[in-house]
């Protein structure tokens, strides 16, 4: 992990400039007219509140927000990561660990102005970043809220905490806005992706997304206190029975992304939602399966966080 020795952190969106940020928000909103924000390409008019597979409409919906201490250490620091849990999801994982938010739409619609005030409140509470959880389907609203919040003094790094099923066009809209990309790369096998998340092309889309994220922000960088300020941090939830394709993923990261790529091997999978109907998802991964995943990542020389 690189160390940012520079004084006075300036987030990407402030370097981009307020006027450019405002223009980017307008550009992103136009995408809602025929929504192709993610690779589902539903082409519904979300400005008229039509909904596609993710079920998100015109207004952003959030489930909760606040300082979170369960994220990776470089995000949490002493005061927590300022997470905003967004309602709905463009993936349809049968084992979703947050299914009340993704499938059952727990949350409430809010205005972009309210979202901006939430971001500022997270900064006032001392959080080290603003961390959008499942942001893909709300990218226009997020950029617009960042514009308003930046205008009023936001200067925290932005974390884009995604399931990895992001279109390149949407990621390009975020170029120069996101400081830290945190994709949760779920599978490397198309049949598994189709069966468990309803997206056969997940491996291809997620790999292309990670390449673009790395192009934009590079390897993870922290400040002198160990707090992440910029870069790519890949997440990978170990699934039972080798369903997550860990060997192929770490090989891809080491060969095509960076030998210094930072990966969090997550061991907390538990059967949730409809997982009981999809063995071996009906059990937690064994200790050996988790150790094997860590061993594979370390064996490829990646920076492993567990
Ligand atoms: S963001 Fe939602 S509506 Fe838009 S393409 Fe993806 S799943 Fe469809």
């Amino acid at each position: 992990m690189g160390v940012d020795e520079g004084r006075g952190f300036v987030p990407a969106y402030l370097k981009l400039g307020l006027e450019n940020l405002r223009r980017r928000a307008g550009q992103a909103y136009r995408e809602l007219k025929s929504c192709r924000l993610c690779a589902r390409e539903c082409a519904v008019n979300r400005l008229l509140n039509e909904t596609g597979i993710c079920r998100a409409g015109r207004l952003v919906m959030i489930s909760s927000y606040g300082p979170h201490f369960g994220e990776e250490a470089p995000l949490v620091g002493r005061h927590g990561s300022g997470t905003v849990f967004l309602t709905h999801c463009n993936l349809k994982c049968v084992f979703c660990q947050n299914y009340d938010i993704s499938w059952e739409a727990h949350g409430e619609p809010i205005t972009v102005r309210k979202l901006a005030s939430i971001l500022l409140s997270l900064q006032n509470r001392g959080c080290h970043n603003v961390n959008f959880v499942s942001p893909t389907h709300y990218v226009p609203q997020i950029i617009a809220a960042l514009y308003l919040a930046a205008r009023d003094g936001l200067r925290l790094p932005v974390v884009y905490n995604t399931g990895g099923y992001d279109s390149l066009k949407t990621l390009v809209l975020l170029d120069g806005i996101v400081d830290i990309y945190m994709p949760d790369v779920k599978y490397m096998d198309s049949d598994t992706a189709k069966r468990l998340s309803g997206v056969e092309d997940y491996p291809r889309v997620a790999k292309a997304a990670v390449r673009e994220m790395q192009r934009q922000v590079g390897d993870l960088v922290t400040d002198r206190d160990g707090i992440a300020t910029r870069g790519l941090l890949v997440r990978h939830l170990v699934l039972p029975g080798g369903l997550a394709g860990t060997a192929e993923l770490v090989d891809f990261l080491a060969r095509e992304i960076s030998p210094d790529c930072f990966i969090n091997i997550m061991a907390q999978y538990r059967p949730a939602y409809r997982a009981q109907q999809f063995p071996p998802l009906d059990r937690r991964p064994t200790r050996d399966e988790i150790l094997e995943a860590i061993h594979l990542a370390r064996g490829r020389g990646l920076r492993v966080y567990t």
Side-chain angles (χ1 to χ4, degrees):
M1 194 187 309
V3 176
D4 180 3
E5 295 288 348
R7 286 172 182 274
F9 169 77
V10 179
Y13 51 89
L14 286 186
K15 289 181 186 157
L16 185 69
L18 285 179
E19 187 49 32
N20 285 333
L21 195 53
R22 191 184 66 77
R23 263 195 231 119
R24 202 72 76 79
Q27 210 181 330
Y29 259 94
R30 286 194 285 282
E31 295 296 316
L32 288 178
K33 196 168 177 191
S34 176
C35 188
R36 290 182 170 82
L37 284 177
C38 81
R40 298 272 194 187
E41 300 195 341
C42 301
V44 292
N45 188 343
R46 287 180 51 193
L47 294 175
L48 296 179
N49 246 349
E50 290 174 9
T51 54
I53 291 172
C54 67
R55 313 302 301 161
R58 185 173 60 84
L59 286 179
V60 61
M61 278 181 76
I62 68 165
S63 168
S64 64
Y65 64 92
H68 200 270
F69 294 88
E71 306 285 279
E72 286 75 356
L75 298 182
V76 166
R78 285 181 58 202
H79 305 293
S81 176
T83 47
V84 179
F85 285 88
L86 297 145
T87 304
H88 301 300
C89 186
N90 63 332
L91 288 172
K92 295 291 167 198
C93 307
V94 297
F95 57 90
C96 183
Q97 309 286 285
N98 293 321
Y99 65 95
D100 53 332
I101 304 173
S102 61
W103 283 91
E104 296 175 355
H106 178 269
E108 57 170 318
I110 58 169
T111 62
V112 161
R113 194 164 295 280
K114 171 70 181 169
L115 181 56
S117 75
I118 287 171
L119 302 181
L120 288 166
S121 76
L122 293 169
Q123 177 168 273
N124 291 339
R125 290 167 77 175
C127 294
H128 299 285
N129 46 64
V130 288
N131 180 346
F132 295 100
V133 184
S134 291
T136 307
H137 46 297
Y138 292 124
V139 162
Q141 295 90 336
I142 287 170
I143 298 176
L146 282 172
Y147 164 68
L148 294 176
R151 211 181 52 179
D152 289 347
L154 185 74
R155 50 184 303 115
L156 294 180
V158 167
V159 182
Y160 188 82
N161 184 342
T162 169
Y165 197 62
D166 297 88
S167 78
L168 284 182
K169 199 173 171 194
T170 301
L171 291 175
V172 168
L173 281 171
L174 292 166
D175 191 4
I177 294 175
V178 169
D179 297 283
I180 299 162
Y181 278 110
M182 192 157 66
D184 174 6
V185 183
K186 297 174 185 301
Y187 329 96
M188 286 285 109
D189 173 69
S190 298
D191 290 343
T192 307
K194 167 94 177 145
R195 195 164 61 92
L196 302 182
S197 294
V199 278
E200 194 170 3
D201 58 355
Y202 180 89
R204 178 184 63 76
V205 171
K207 280 182 183 173
V210 174
R211 283 189 201 101
E212 172 62 15
M213 293 171 185
Q214 175 74 9
R215 183 195 71 74
Q216 289 183 23
V217 297
D219 292 329
L220 195 70
V221 173
T222 61
D223 64 14
R224 290 174 190 172
D225 298 324
I227 303 295
T229 54
R230 185 171 175 84
L232 174 73
L233 197 169
V234 175
R235 278 181 160 179
H236 182 61
L237 182 65
V238 180
L239 296 175
L243 288 172
T246 307
E248 198 179 327
L249 171 64
V250 297
D251 188 52
F252 162 72
L253 294 175
R255 273 190 302 108
E256 295 191 42
I257 300 302
S258 166
D260 292 320
C261 186
F262 196 90
I263 184 169
N264 180 6
I265 300 286
M266 299 189 294
Q268 64 262 45
Y269 173 80
R270 58 186 164 72
Y273 196 50
R274 295 169 55 211
Q276 295 293 346
Q277 300 163 33
F278 293 84
L281 287 179
D282 56 347
R283 64 168 174 86
R284 300 183 76 139
T286 63
R287 185 179 144 79
D288 282 352
E289 285 173 328
I290 291 160
L291 290 176
E292 170 72 3
I294 295 168
H295 176 74
L296 284 167
R298 290 206 172 120
R300 294 299 280 133
L302 302 179
R303 309 295 178 99
V304 182
Y305 179 78
T306 56

